[in-house]
Amino acid sequence: MKKIIIVLTIAFLGWHGIANGQQPATVNMQPKTDSLYTLTAGRVAMTIDASFGGRIRSLRYDDREVLSQTRWPESFGSTFWTSPQSEWNWPPVAEIDKGAYTVEQADRNTITMTSQPSRRLGIAVTKRFSAADDGTSISVTYTISNVGSAERRVAPWEITRVPNGGLIFFDAPLSAVSPAGLLAFQSAHDAVWYRADTTGENRKINADASGWLAFADNGLLLVKEFPDLKATEPAPGEAEVQVYVNRGKTYIELESQGAYVSLQPGEQLSWTVRWHLVPTGQEPSPSVSLLEQVRSLLKADE
């Protein structure tokens, strides 16, 4: 089977490296009947539900949770879709978003899960979660396989839901955020910043960013890192970065997408997003020091 590879890694960093007391990564199933797998790296723990779309249900630093735990439909954890949305409209494709995934491997530091093929789209999705023995990183690689008989044009799309609170920011000019003014982004220190607010409307923006998207709240800093796309690379009507704010004070989606490519029958693409989760002693407000903390995490990956 031919492969189109787009590389990106999801990493969750602890406060210090293993030399400062972190434990090696481990995988635990708790218990088998629940299909819940917990992957740990240092003081960060990620729990994945094989029975519900291979969804990341929880991401914690010690006992502090960063993902939304709201139990409304489509409102919790981190999931994966294919882009563009115009291919499937709503609701998300069940086999990929919420169907049971087959656990193909689960050892000390790796979990691999695969969806059932989508009859509608002719694709299947594999998610590979792995933790490094240095106790500082966890990676998730998404693979989209064309298992149908026709060519498919597709892009990868990660959707991470966080509580409605805190501060969202990324590296881009204010002019790169559209529709202008829909969310109250402000420009400062060569980045754009949005402090969570509430209205009775659902709102979503698109942006051409610079390969990362950050969220600061509850003393934690979450940074999603991904390949920087050219303006022409996202799927039609989509974008490298998207922020969706649900009405009221329920949840926010931090979204990133990869390049839109053509897959012939039997071809695959693999896409990885790197995440960082660290404590921060800084207030969730626009500042040079908060940007410097983000950039020090990104530089550590170079």
Side-chain angles (χ1 to χ4, degrees), residues 72-75 85 90 161 164 178-179 181-184 194 197-206 243-253 255:
W72 291 7
E74 314 303 336
S75 62
Q85 187 171 342
W90 194 262
R161 299 175 178 113
N164 186 316
S178 64
L182 185 63
L183 294 177
Y194 165 69
D197 62 359
T198 61
T199 70
E201 303 290 331
N202 299 328
R203 295 164 291 160
K204 183 171 184 175
I205 61 92
N206 290 343
V243 177
Y244 169 83
V245 181
N246 200 56
R247 65 185 180 274
K249 193 174 177 63
T250 49
Y251 67 93
I252 294 175
E253 291 179 350
E255 306 178 14

PDB file of all heavy atoms in Angstrom, residues 72-75 85 90 161 164 178-179 181-184 194 197-206 243-253 255:
ATOM      1  N   TRP A  72     -22.550  16.898  27.491  1.00  0.00           N
ATOM      2  CA  TRP A  72     -23.445  17.109  26.377  1.00  0.00           C
ATOM      3  C   TRP A  72     -22.885  16.378  25.158  1.00  0.00           C
ATOM      4  O   TRP A  72     -21.679  16.170  25.055  1.00  0.00           O
ATOM      5  CB  TRP A  72     -23.555  18.591  26.042  1.00  0.00           C
ATOM      6  CG  TRP A  72     -24.267  19.410  27.055  1.00  0.00           C
ATOM      7  CD1 TRP A  72     -24.709  19.021  28.277  1.00  0.00           C
ATOM      8  CD2 TRP A  72     -24.607  20.801  26.918  1.00  0.00           C
ATOM      9  NE1 TRP A  72     -25.293  20.072  28.922  1.00  0.00           N
ATOM     10  CE2 TRP A  72     -25.259  21.178  28.113  1.00  0.00           C
ATOM     11  CE3 TRP A  72     -24.426  21.750  25.923  1.00  0.00           C
ATOM     12  CZ2 TRP A  72     -25.724  22.469  28.322  1.00  0.00           C
ATOM     13  CZ3 TRP A  72     -24.892  23.031  26.130  1.00  0.00           C
ATOM     14  CH2 TRP A  72     -25.546  23.383  27.315  1.00  0.00           C
ATOM     15  N   PRO A  73     -23.750  16.022  24.193  1.00  0.00           N
ATOM     16  CA  PRO A  73     -23.220  15.421  22.963  1.00  0.00           C
ATOM     17  C   PRO A  73     -22.211  16.339  22.286  1.00  0.00           C
ATOM     18  O   PRO A  73     -22.392  17.560  22.257  1.00  0.00           O
ATOM     19  CB  PRO A  73     -24.482  15.249  22.106  1.00  0.00           C
ATOM     20  CG  PRO A  73     -25.596  15.162  23.086  1.00  0.00           C
ATOM     21  CD  PRO A  73     -25.209  16.079  24.215  1.00  0.00           C
ATOM     22  N   GLU A  74     -21.146  15.758  21.748  1.00  0.00           N
ATOM     23  CA  GLU A  74     -20.124  16.472  20.978  1.00  0.00           C
ATOM     24  C   GLU A  74     -19.456  17.587  21.768  1.00  0.00           C
ATOM     25  O   GLU A  74     -19.098  18.628  21.207  1.00  0.00           O
ATOM     26  CB  GLU A  74     -20.730  17.066  19.691  1.00  0.00           C
ATOM     27  CG  GLU A  74     -21.615  16.141  18.904  1.00  0.00           C
ATOM     28  CD  GLU A  74     -20.931  14.852  18.488  1.00  0.00           C
ATOM     29  OE1 GLU A  74     -19.698  14.805  18.398  1.00  0.00           O
ATOM     30  OE2 GLU A  74     -21.656  13.874  18.246  1.00  0.00           O
ATOM     31  N   SER A  75     -19.258  17.400  23.069  1.00  0.00           N
ATOM     32  CA  SER A  75     -18.763  18.524  23.865  1.00  0.00           C
ATOM     33  C   SER A  75     -17.589  18.190  24.773  1.00  0.00           C
ATOM     34  O   SER A  75     -17.213  19.027  25.598  1.00  0.00           O
ATOM     35  CB  SER A  75     -19.902  19.078  24.725  1.00  0.00           C
ATOM     36  OG  SER A  75     -20.367  18.088  25.640  1.00  0.00           O
ATOM     37  N   GLN A  85     -15.539  19.587   5.884  1.00  0.00           N
ATOM     38  CA  GLN A  85     -16.806  19.195   6.495  1.00  0.00           C
ATOM     39  C   GLN A  85     -17.915  19.071   5.455  1.00  0.00           C
ATOM     40  O   GLN A  85     -18.870  18.312   5.649  1.00  0.00           O
ATOM     41  CB  GLN A  85     -17.210  20.196   7.581  1.00  0.00           C
ATOM     42  CG  GLN A  85     -18.428  19.759   8.376  1.00  0.00           C
ATOM     43  CD  GLN A  85     -18.693  20.626   9.583  1.00  0.00           C
ATOM     44  OE1 GLN A  85     -17.818  21.350  10.039  1.00  0.00           O
ATOM     45  NE2 GLN A  85     -19.906  20.550  10.105  1.00  0.00           N
ATOM     46  N   TRP A  90     -23.241  17.259   8.829  1.00  0.00           N
ATOM     47  CA  TRP A  90     -23.402  17.003  10.260  1.00  0.00           C
ATOM     48  C   TRP A  90     -24.477  15.945  10.429  1.00  0.00           C
ATOM     49  O   TRP A  90     -25.440  15.939   9.651  1.00  0.00           O
ATOM     50  CB  TRP A  90     -23.791  18.296  11.003  1.00  0.00           C
ATOM     51  CG  TRP A  90     -23.642  18.168  12.480  1.00  0.00           C
ATOM     52  CD1 TRP A  90     -24.640  17.898  13.394  1.00  0.00           C
ATOM     53  CD2 TRP A  90     -22.437  18.286  13.238  1.00  0.00           C
ATOM     54  NE1 TRP A  90     -24.119  17.838  14.664  1.00  0.00           N
ATOM     55  CE2 TRP A  90     -22.777  18.078  14.592  1.00  0.00           C
ATOM     56  CE3 TRP A  90     -21.109  18.543  12.902  1.00  0.00           C
ATOM     57  CZ2 TRP A  90     -21.827  18.115  15.617  1.00  0.00           C
ATOM     58  CZ3 TRP A  90     -20.178  18.584  13.913  1.00  0.00           C
ATOM     59  CH2 TRP A  90     -20.525  18.380  15.243  1.00  0.00           C
ATOM     60  N   ARG A 161     -11.570  19.840  22.656  1.00  0.00           N
ATOM     61  CA  ARG A 161     -12.542  20.655  23.387  1.00  0.00           C
ATOM     62  C   ARG A 161     -12.019  20.978  24.778  1.00  0.00           C
ATOM     63  O   ARG A 161     -11.611  20.088  25.522  1.00  0.00           O
ATOM     64  CB  ARG A 161     -13.878  19.931  23.444  1.00  0.00           C
ATOM     65  CG  ARG A 161     -14.441  19.687  22.033  1.00  0.00           C
ATOM     66  CD  ARG A 161     -15.713  18.875  22.036  1.00  0.00           C
ATOM     67  NE  ARG A 161     -16.207  18.745  20.657  1.00  0.00           N
ATOM     68  CZ  ARG A 161     -16.249  17.607  19.986  1.00  0.00           C
ATOM     69  NH1 ARG A 161     -15.826  16.491  20.537  1.00  0.00           N
ATOM     70  NH2 ARG A 161     -16.713  17.574  18.756  1.00  0.00           N
ATOM     71  N   ASN A 164     -14.929  26.587  28.576  1.00  0.00           N
ATOM     72  CA  ASN A 164     -15.048  27.984  28.176  1.00  0.00           C
ATOM     73  C   ASN A 164     -14.476  28.856  29.292  1.00  0.00           C
ATOM     74  O   ASN A 164     -15.141  29.200  30.259  1.00  0.00           O
ATOM     75  CB  ASN A 164     -16.507  28.353  27.908  1.00  0.00           C
ATOM     76  CG  ASN A 164     -16.643  29.761  27.354  1.00  0.00           C
ATOM     77  OD1 ASN A 164     -16.010  30.697  27.828  1.00  0.00           O
ATOM     78  ND2 ASN A 164     -17.479  29.921  26.356  1.00  0.00           N
ATOM     79  N   SER A 178     -10.645  35.344  10.370  1.00  0.00           N
ATOM     80  CA  SER A 178     -11.895  35.697   9.707  1.00  0.00           C
ATOM     81  C   SER A 178     -13.039  34.780  10.184  1.00  0.00           C
ATOM     82  O   SER A 178     -12.787  33.629  10.576  1.00  0.00           O
ATOM     83  CB  SER A 178     -11.727  35.574   8.186  1.00  0.00           C
ATOM     84  OG  SER A 178     -11.478  34.228   7.815  1.00  0.00           O
ATOM     85  N   PRO A 179     -14.277  35.279  10.205  1.00  0.00           N
ATOM     86  CA  PRO A 179     -14.691  36.639   9.902  1.00  0.00           C
ATOM     87  C   PRO A 179     -14.161  37.637  10.946  1.00  0.00           C
ATOM     88  O   PRO A 179     -14.143  37.314  12.143  1.00  0.00           O
ATOM     89  CB  PRO A 179     -16.224  36.571   9.950  1.00  0.00           C
ATOM     90  CG  PRO A 179     -16.578  35.126   9.891  1.00  0.00           C
ATOM     91  CD  PRO A 179     -15.436  34.402  10.506  1.00  0.00           C
ATOM     92  N   GLY A 181     -13.862  40.276  13.692  1.00  0.00           N
ATOM     93  CA  GLY A 181     -14.734  40.764  14.747  1.00  0.00           C
ATOM     94  C   GLY A 181     -15.723  39.762  15.304  1.00  0.00           C
ATOM     95  O   GLY A 181     -16.433  40.069  16.275  1.00  0.00           O
ATOM     96  N   LEU A 182     -15.815  38.563  14.733  1.00  0.00           N
ATOM     97  CA  LEU A 182     -16.784  37.587  15.238  1.00  0.00           C
ATOM     98  C   LEU A 182     -16.420  37.136  16.646  1.00  0.00           C
ATOM     99  O   LEU A 182     -17.285  36.987  17.519  1.00  0.00           O
ATOM    100  CB  LEU A 182     -16.852  36.385  14.297  1.00  0.00           C
ATOM    101  CG  LEU A 182     -17.917  35.342  14.633  1.00  0.00           C
ATOM    102  CD1 LEU A 182     -19.316  35.947  14.534  1.00  0.00           C
ATOM    103  CD2 LEU A 182     -17.802  34.133  13.708  1.00  0.00           C
ATOM    104  N   LEU A 183     -15.139  36.882  16.881  1.00  0.00           N
ATOM    105  CA  LEU A 183     -14.616  36.658  18.227  1.00  0.00           C
ATOM    106  C   LEU A 183     -13.702  37.832  18.550  1.00  0.00           C
ATOM    107  O   LEU A 183     -13.006  38.351  17.683  1.00  0.00           O
ATOM    108  CB  LEU A 183     -13.839  35.341  18.307  1.00  0.00           C
ATOM    109  CG  LEU A 183     -14.646  34.059  18.115  1.00  0.00           C
ATOM    110  CD1 LEU A 183     -13.736  32.838  18.155  1.00  0.00           C
ATOM    111  CD2 LEU A 183     -15.741  33.921  19.162  1.00  0.00           C
ATOM    112  N   ALA A 184     -13.668  38.214  19.808  1.00  0.00           N
ATOM    113  CA  ALA A 184     -12.961  39.431  20.209  1.00  0.00           C
ATOM    114  C   ALA A 184     -11.456  39.198  20.331  1.00  0.00           C
ATOM    115  O   ALA A 184     -10.857  39.343  21.415  1.00  0.00           O
ATOM    116  CB  ALA A 184     -13.528  39.961  21.518  1.00  0.00           C
ATOM    117  N   TYR A 194      -7.437  35.749  22.360  1.00  0.00           N
ATOM    118  CA  TYR A 194      -8.880  35.766  22.584  1.00  0.00           C
ATOM    119  C   TYR A 194      -9.165  35.272  23.999  1.00  0.00           C
ATOM    120  O   TYR A 194      -8.813  34.142  24.360  1.00  0.00           O
ATOM    121  CB  TYR A 194      -9.597  34.865  21.571  1.00  0.00           C
ATOM    122  CG  TYR A 194     -11.027  34.542  21.929  1.00  0.00           C
ATOM    123  CD1 TYR A 194     -12.014  35.524  21.904  1.00  0.00           C
ATOM    124  CD2 TYR A 194     -11.389  33.251  22.307  1.00  0.00           C
ATOM    125  CE1 TYR A 194     -13.330  35.235  22.243  1.00  0.00           C
ATOM    126  CE2 TYR A 194     -12.699  32.948  22.639  1.00  0.00           C
ATOM    127  CZ  TYR A 194     -13.664  33.946  22.601  1.00  0.00           C
ATOM    128  OH  TYR A 194     -14.964  33.645  22.943  1.00  0.00           O
ATOM    129  N   ASP A 197     -15.419  34.402  26.137  1.00  0.00           N
ATOM    130  CA  ASP A 197     -16.595  35.180  26.495  1.00  0.00           C
ATOM    131  C   ASP A 197     -17.830  34.337  26.204  1.00  0.00           C
ATOM    132  O   ASP A 197     -17.718  33.185  25.779  1.00  0.00           O
ATOM    133  CB  ASP A 197     -16.628  36.511  25.738  1.00  0.00           C
ATOM    134  CG  ASP A 197     -16.704  36.304  24.218  1.00  0.00           C
ATOM    135  OD1 ASP A 197     -16.713  35.143  23.769  1.00  0.00           O
ATOM    136  OD2 ASP A 197     -16.752  37.307  23.496  1.00  0.00           O
ATOM    137  N   THR A 198     -19.003  34.893  26.449  1.00  0.00           N
ATOM    138  CA  THR A 198     -20.227  34.133  26.233  1.00  0.00           C
ATOM    139  C   THR A 198     -21.259  34.990  25.502  1.00  0.00           C
ATOM    140  O   THR A 198     -21.364  36.192  25.722  1.00  0.00           O
ATOM    141  CB  THR A 198     -20.848  33.661  27.559  1.00  0.00           C
ATOM    142  OG1 THR A 198     -21.174  34.811  28.361  1.00  0.00           O
ATOM    143  CG2 THR A 198     -19.894  32.780  28.329  1.00  0.00           C
ATOM    144  N   THR A 199     -21.998  34.335  24.601  1.00  0.00           N
ATOM    145  CA  THR A 199     -23.166  34.934  23.953  1.00  0.00           C
ATOM    146  C   THR A 199     -24.172  33.816  23.738  1.00  0.00           C
ATOM    147  O   THR A 199     -23.911  32.648  24.068  1.00  0.00           O
ATOM    148  CB  THR A 199     -22.827  35.564  22.579  1.00  0.00           C
ATOM    149  OG1 THR A 199     -22.538  34.518  21.648  1.00  0.00           O
ATOM    150  CG2 THR A 199     -21.656  36.523  22.672  1.00  0.00           C
ATOM    151  N   GLY A 200     -25.296  34.157  23.166  1.00  0.00           N
ATOM    152  CA  GLY A 200     -26.298  33.149  22.848  1.00  0.00           C
ATOM    153  C   GLY A 200     -26.092  32.517  21.495  1.00  0.00           C
ATOM    154  O   GLY A 200     -26.946  31.765  21.025  1.00  0.00           O
ATOM    155  N   GLU A 201     -24.953  32.811  20.840  1.00  0.00           N
ATOM    156  CA  GLU A 201     -24.694  32.327  19.491  1.00  0.00           C
ATOM    157  C   GLU A 201     -23.512  31.360  19.462  1.00  0.00           C
ATOM    158  O   GLU A 201     -22.577  31.490  20.261  1.00  0.00           O
ATOM    159  CB  GLU A 201     -24.369  33.502  18.565  1.00  0.00           C
ATOM    160  CG  GLU A 201     -25.444  34.571  18.502  1.00  0.00           C
ATOM    161  CD  GLU A 201     -26.691  34.094  17.782  1.00  0.00           C
ATOM    162  OE1 GLU A 201     -26.556  33.218  16.885  1.00  0.00           O
ATOM    163  OE2 GLU A 201     -27.783  34.582  18.104  1.00  0.00           O
ATOM    164  N   ASN A 202     -23.551  30.400  18.542  1.00  0.00           N
ATOM    165  CA  ASN A 202     -22.369  29.601  18.233  1.00  0.00           C
ATOM    166  C   ASN A 202     -21.513  30.399  17.256  1.00  0.00           C
ATOM    167  O   ASN A 202     -22.030  30.953  16.286  1.00  0.00           O
ATOM    168  CB  ASN A 202     -22.760  28.264  17.599  1.00  0.00           C
ATOM    169  CG  ASN A 202     -23.611  27.419  18.518  1.00  0.00           C
ATOM    170  OD1 ASN A 202     -23.462  27.462  19.728  1.00  0.00           O
ATOM    171  ND2 ASN A 202     -24.524  26.658  17.947  1.00  0.00           N
ATOM    172  N   ARG A 203     -20.187  30.439  17.491  1.00  0.00           N
ATOM    173  CA  ARG A 203     -19.309  31.252  16.652  1.00  0.00           C
ATOM    174  C   ARG A 203     -18.050  30.473  16.297  1.00  0.00           C
ATOM    175  O   ARG A 203     -17.549  29.701  17.109  1.00  0.00           O
ATOM    176  CB  ARG A 203     -18.913  32.540  17.390  1.00  0.00           C
ATOM    177  CG  ARG A 203     -20.079  33.482  17.681  1.00  0.00           C
ATOM    178  CD  ARG A 203     -19.708  34.505  18.730  1.00  0.00           C
ATOM    179  NE  ARG A 203     -19.537  33.891  20.029  1.00  0.00           N
ATOM    180  CZ  ARG A 203     -18.862  34.451  21.044  1.00  0.00           C
ATOM    181  NH1 ARG A 203     -18.296  35.625  20.887  1.00  0.00           N
ATOM    182  NH2 ARG A 203     -18.761  33.823  22.191  1.00  0.00           N
ATOM    183  N   LYS A 204     -17.543  30.707  15.079  1.00  0.00           N
ATOM    184  CA  LYS A 204     -16.340  30.006  14.641  1.00  0.00           C
ATOM    185  C   LYS A 204     -15.515  30.906  13.734  1.00  0.00           C
ATOM    186  O   LYS A 204     -16.051  31.573  12.850  1.00  0.00           O
ATOM    187  CB  LYS A 204     -16.705  28.725  13.894  1.00  0.00           C
ATOM    188  CG  LYS A 204     -15.499  27.893  13.477  1.00  0.00           C
ATOM    189  CD  LYS A 204     -15.918  26.547  12.933  1.00  0.00           C
ATOM    190  CE  LYS A 204     -14.715  25.689  12.605  1.00  0.00           C
ATOM    191  NZ  LYS A 204     -15.089  24.327  12.183  1.00  0.00           N
ATOM    192  N   ILE A 205     -14.189  30.897  13.953  1.00  0.00           N
ATOM    193  CA  ILE A 205     -13.284  31.657  13.090  1.00  0.00           C
ATOM    194  C   ILE A 205     -12.289  30.713  12.419  1.00  0.00           C
ATOM    195  O   ILE A 205     -11.990  29.623  12.923  1.00  0.00           O
ATOM    196  CB  ILE A 205     -12.534  32.765  13.863  1.00  0.00           C
ATOM    197  CG1 ILE A 205     -11.659  32.191  14.996  1.00  0.00           C
ATOM    198  CG2 ILE A 205     -13.521  33.787  14.392  1.00  0.00           C
ATOM    199  CD1 ILE A 205     -10.226  31.889  14.637  1.00  0.00           C
ATOM    200  N   ASN A 206     -11.791  31.142  11.281  1.00  0.00           N
ATOM    201  CA  ASN A 206     -10.702  30.489  10.563  1.00  0.00           C
ATOM    202  C   ASN A 206      -9.481  31.393  10.607  1.00  0.00           C
ATOM    203  O   ASN A 206      -9.617  32.627  10.654  1.00  0.00           O
ATOM    204  CB  ASN A 206     -11.066  30.242   9.100  1.00  0.00           C
ATOM    205  CG  ASN A 206     -12.132  29.186   8.925  1.00  0.00           C
ATOM    206  OD1 ASN A 206     -12.404  28.403   9.832  1.00  0.00           O
ATOM    207  ND2 ASN A 206     -12.749  29.148   7.763  1.00  0.00           N
ATOM    208  N   VAL A 243     -11.170  28.125  15.627  1.00  0.00           N
ATOM    209  CA  VAL A 243     -11.636  28.200  17.012  1.00  0.00           C
ATOM    210  C   VAL A 243     -13.148  28.299  16.982  1.00  0.00           C
ATOM    211  O   VAL A 243     -13.708  29.216  16.373  1.00  0.00           O
ATOM    212  CB  VAL A 243     -11.032  29.410  17.758  1.00  0.00           C
ATOM    213  CG1 VAL A 243     -11.602  29.485  19.186  1.00  0.00           C
ATOM    214  CG2 VAL A 243      -9.507  29.321  17.805  1.00  0.00           C
ATOM    215  N   TYR A 244     -13.804  27.341  17.632  1.00  0.00           N
ATOM    216  CA  TYR A 244     -15.264  27.318  17.712  1.00  0.00           C
ATOM    217  C   TYR A 244     -15.675  27.539  19.156  1.00  0.00           C
ATOM    218  O   TYR A 244     -15.184  26.856  20.068  1.00  0.00           O
ATOM    219  CB  TYR A 244     -15.804  25.977  17.217  1.00  0.00           C
ATOM    220  CG  TYR A 244     -17.274  25.748  17.510  1.00  0.00           C
ATOM    221  CD1 TYR A 244     -18.254  26.265  16.670  1.00  0.00           C
ATOM    222  CD2 TYR A 244     -17.670  25.038  18.641  1.00  0.00           C
ATOM    223  CE1 TYR A 244     -19.607  26.064  16.948  1.00  0.00           C
ATOM    224  CE2 TYR A 244     -19.010  24.834  18.927  1.00  0.00           C
ATOM    225  CZ  TYR A 244     -19.974  25.348  18.081  1.00  0.00           C
ATOM    226  OH  TYR A 244     -21.309  25.152  18.353  1.00  0.00           O
ATOM    227  N   VAL A 245     -16.585  28.489  19.380  1.00  0.00           N
ATOM    228  CA  VAL A 245     -17.088  28.789  20.720  1.00  0.00           C
ATOM    229  C   VAL A 245     -18.565  28.426  20.762  1.00  0.00           C
ATOM    230  O   VAL A 245     -19.384  29.004  20.034  1.00  0.00           O
ATOM    231  CB  VAL A 245     -16.885  30.276  21.073  1.00  0.00           C
ATOM    232  CG1 VAL A 245     -17.405  30.559  22.483  1.00  0.00           C
ATOM    233  CG2 VAL A 245     -15.402  30.642  20.977  1.00  0.00           C
ATOM    234  N   ASN A 246     -18.914  27.469  21.606  1.00  0.00           N
ATOM    235  CA  ASN A 246     -20.305  27.069  21.730  1.00  0.00           C
ATOM    236  C   ASN A 246     -21.072  28.125  22.523  1.00  0.00           C
ATOM    237  O   ASN A 246     -20.512  28.806  23.380  1.00  0.00           O
ATOM    238  CB  ASN A 246     -20.409  25.703  22.419  1.00  0.00           C
ATOM    239  CG  ASN A 246     -21.742  25.029  22.149  1.00  0.00           C
ATOM    240  OD1 ASN A 246     -22.113  24.841  20.994  1.00  0.00           O
ATOM    241  ND2 ASN A 246     -22.459  24.661  23.196  1.00  0.00           N
ATOM    242  N   ARG A 247     -22.362  28.242  22.224  1.00  0.00           N
ATOM    243  CA  ARG A 247     -23.167  29.263  22.891  1.00  0.00           C
ATOM    244  C   ARG A 247     -23.192  29.052  24.403  1.00  0.00           C
ATOM    245  O   ARG A 247     -23.028  27.939  24.892  1.00  0.00           O
ATOM    246  CB  ARG A 247     -24.589  29.264  22.333  1.00  0.00           C
ATOM    247  CG  ARG A 247     -25.370  27.991  22.603  1.00  0.00           C
ATOM    248  CD  ARG A 247     -26.719  28.022  21.902  1.00  0.00           C
ATOM    249  NE  ARG A 247     -27.485  26.815  22.156  1.00  0.00           N
ATOM    250  CZ  ARG A 247     -27.369  25.692  21.445  1.00  0.00           C
ATOM    251  NH1 ARG A 247     -26.486  25.650  20.454  1.00  0.00           N
ATOM    252  NH2 ARG A 247     -28.097  24.640  21.732  1.00  0.00           N
ATOM    253  N   GLY A 248     -23.448  30.138  25.117  1.00  0.00           N
ATOM    254  CA  GLY A 248     -23.439  30.088  26.571  1.00  0.00           C
ATOM    255  C   GLY A 248     -22.020  29.953  27.083  1.00  0.00           C
ATOM    256  O   GLY A 248     -21.069  30.412  26.473  1.00  0.00           O
ATOM    257  N   LYS A 249     -21.853  29.290  28.190  1.00  0.00           N
ATOM    258  CA  LYS A 249     -20.525  29.075  28.763  1.00  0.00           C
ATOM    259  C   LYS A 249     -20.304  27.572  28.897  1.00  0.00           C
ATOM    260  O   LYS A 249     -20.240  27.010  29.985  1.00  0.00           O
ATOM    261  CB  LYS A 249     -20.402  29.773  30.125  1.00  0.00           C
ATOM    262  CG  LYS A 249     -18.972  29.861  30.639  1.00  0.00           C
ATOM    263  CD  LYS A 249     -18.898  30.684  31.913  1.00  0.00           C
ATOM    264  CE  LYS A 249     -17.490  30.724  32.466  1.00  0.00           C
ATOM    265  NZ  LYS A 249     -16.536  31.374  31.579  1.00  0.00           N
ATOM    266  N   THR A 250     -20.233  26.901  27.750  1.00  0.00           N
ATOM    267  CA  THR A 250     -20.150  25.443  27.759  1.00  0.00           C
ATOM    268  C   THR A 250     -18.754  24.947  27.401  1.00  0.00           C
ATOM    269  O   THR A 250     -18.037  24.436  28.249  1.00  0.00           O
ATOM    270  CB  THR A 250     -21.207  24.839  26.816  1.00  0.00           C
ATOM    271  OG1 THR A 250     -21.147  25.514  25.547  1.00  0.00           O
ATOM    272  CG2 THR A 250     -22.610  25.004  27.392  1.00  0.00           C
ATOM    273  N   TYR A 251     -18.334  25.130  26.146  1.00  0.00           N
ATOM    274  CA  TYR A 251     -17.014  24.625  25.755  1.00  0.00           C
ATOM    275  C   TYR A 251     -16.522  25.369  24.531  1.00  0.00           C
ATOM    276  O   TYR A 251     -17.287  26.059  23.828  1.00  0.00           O
ATOM    277  CB  TYR A 251     -17.046  23.121  25.483  1.00  0.00           C
ATOM    278  CG  TYR A 251     -17.861  22.739  24.265  1.00  0.00           C
ATOM    279  CD1 TYR A 251     -17.261  22.592  23.013  1.00  0.00           C
ATOM    280  CD2 TYR A 251     -19.240  22.524  24.365  1.00  0.00           C
ATOM    281  CE1 TYR A 251     -18.006  22.239  21.897  1.00  0.00           C
ATOM    282  CE2 TYR A 251     -19.989  22.169  23.257  1.00  0.00           C
ATOM    283  CZ  TYR A 251     -19.376  22.035  22.028  1.00  0.00           C
ATOM    284  OH  TYR A 251     -20.117  21.701  20.918  1.00  0.00           O
ATOM    285  N   ILE A 252     -15.213  25.227  24.268  1.00  0.00           N
ATOM    286  CA  ILE A 252     -14.558  25.813  23.100  1.00  0.00           C
ATOM    287  C   ILE A 252     -13.782  24.704  22.400  1.00  0.00           C
ATOM    288  O   ILE A 252     -13.225  23.826  23.050  1.00  0.00           O
ATOM    289  CB  ILE A 252     -13.609  26.958  23.513  1.00  0.00           C
ATOM    290  CG1 ILE A 252     -14.420  28.119  24.097  1.00  0.00           C
ATOM    291  CG2 ILE A 252     -12.754  27.433  22.337  1.00  0.00           C
ATOM    292  CD1 ILE A 252     -13.562  29.244  24.636  1.00  0.00           C
ATOM    293  N   GLU A 253     -13.749  24.751  21.068  1.00  0.00           N
ATOM    294  CA  GLU A 253     -12.958  23.796  20.305  1.00  0.00           C
ATOM    295  C   GLU A 253     -11.698  24.459  19.755  1.00  0.00           C
ATOM    296  O   GLU A 253     -11.770  25.501  19.098  1.00  0.00           O
ATOM    297  CB  GLU A 253     -13.772  23.238  19.139  1.00  0.00           C
ATOM    298  CG  GLU A 253     -14.912  22.344  19.591  1.00  0.00           C
ATOM    299  CD  GLU A 253     -15.738  21.797  18.441  1.00  0.00           C
ATOM    300  OE1 GLU A 253     -15.565  22.251  17.290  1.00  0.00           O
ATOM    301  OE2 GLU A 253     -16.568  20.908  18.704  1.00  0.00           O
ATOM    302  N   GLU A 255      -8.979  23.744  17.069  1.00  0.00           N
ATOM    303  CA  GLU A 255      -8.937  22.869  15.911  1.00  0.00           C
ATOM    304  C   GLU A 255      -7.721  23.175  15.036  1.00  0.00           C
ATOM    305  O   GLU A 255      -7.352  24.335  14.851  1.00  0.00           O
ATOM    306  CB  GLU A 255     -10.215  23.032  15.084  1.00  0.00           C
ATOM    307  CG  GLU A 255     -11.482  22.843  15.910  1.00  0.00           C
ATOM    308  CD  GLU A 255     -12.756  23.047  15.104  1.00  0.00           C
ATOM    309  OE1 GLU A 255     -12.668  23.074  13.857  1.00  0.00           O
ATOM    310  OE2 GLU A 255     -13.831  23.177  15.715  1.00  0.00           O
TER     311      GLU A 255
END
